[in-house]
Amino acid sequence: MNELALFNKLFDGLDDDYYELPSFNFKKAFLVPKVDVKEGKDAYTLQMDLPGKTDKDVNIELNNKVLTISSENETKDEKKEEKAESKDGIKYLIKERSYSKFSRSFTLPEDVDSDKLTAKVQNGVLTVTMPRHAISAPKRIAITCA
């Protein structure tokens, strides 16, 4: 009996109508870049690891307070390189590095000044700086009797 068969036996007899396991997307969990977000007095800072990517490989869009960071699949140069290697009779023995596309979206807080966002890629780390602006305090309105 292999491990997979043992794992499947754990769930035999469970009624699908009453019990549902949470879904987990392994591809998304391991291929989507991880993010750190810091909050400072004057700005929020988002940092994302993007090894091997340059500013030309990454797209950043802001639409209605939603910041989307994405990157496309492998470039044409990488595809040409693979074809050239196969023509030369060279083949991969191990190929663990992959070039996958991803997209991550973040809803920005109300105090972000969306006109002043900046982004840079340095040493494989994307840093997006989101300056804050002061949110006006609630205004008290006087009530008059008529």
Side-chain angles (χ1 to χ4, degrees), residues 32 57 68 88 106 108 118 120 138:
V32 175
D57 301 324
T68 301
D88 295 339
F106 306 91
L108 301 183
T118 60
K120 68 176 182 175

Side-chain angles (χ1 to χ4, degrees), residues 48-146:
M48 178 183 283
D49 288 336
L50 298 174
K53 301 280 186 188
T54 66
D55 58 331
K56 293 173 181 59
D57 301 324
V58 182
N59 302 315
I60 302 175
E61 294 179 5
L62 181 63
N63 185 12
N64 294 329
K65 292 283 187 185
V66 176
L67 179 72
T68 301
I69 302 170
S70 61
S71 181
E72 292 299 317
N73 251 349
E74 59 189 344
T75 64
K76 291 178 184 176
D77 293 338
E78 291 161 352
K79 288 181 182 178
K80 286 180 186 175
E81 188 177 303
E82 274 191 29
K83 288 180 183 176
E85 288 175 356
S86 62
K87 286 180 184 177
D88 295 339
I90 298 171
K91 63 180 182 177
Y92 283 101
L93 298 177
I94 298 173
K95 186 171 182 179
E96 296 178 340
R97 300 182 300 162
S98 65
Y99 301 93
S100 63
K101 66 180 182 176
F102 72 88
S103 179
R104 295 214 46 196
S105 296
F106 306 91
T107 302
L108 301 183
E110 290 297 319
D111 64 342
V112 169
D113 188 351
S114 56
D115 294 330
K116 296 183 180 177
L117 265 64
T118 60
K120 68 176 182 175
V121 175
Q122 184 176 4
N123 297 329
V125 177
L126 171 69
T127 302
V128 179
T129 304
M130 301 167 275
R132 299 172 84 167
H133 60 77
I135 295 180
S136 57
K139 183 179 177 183
R140 187 165 185 103
I141 299 173
I143 302 172
T144 58
C145 291

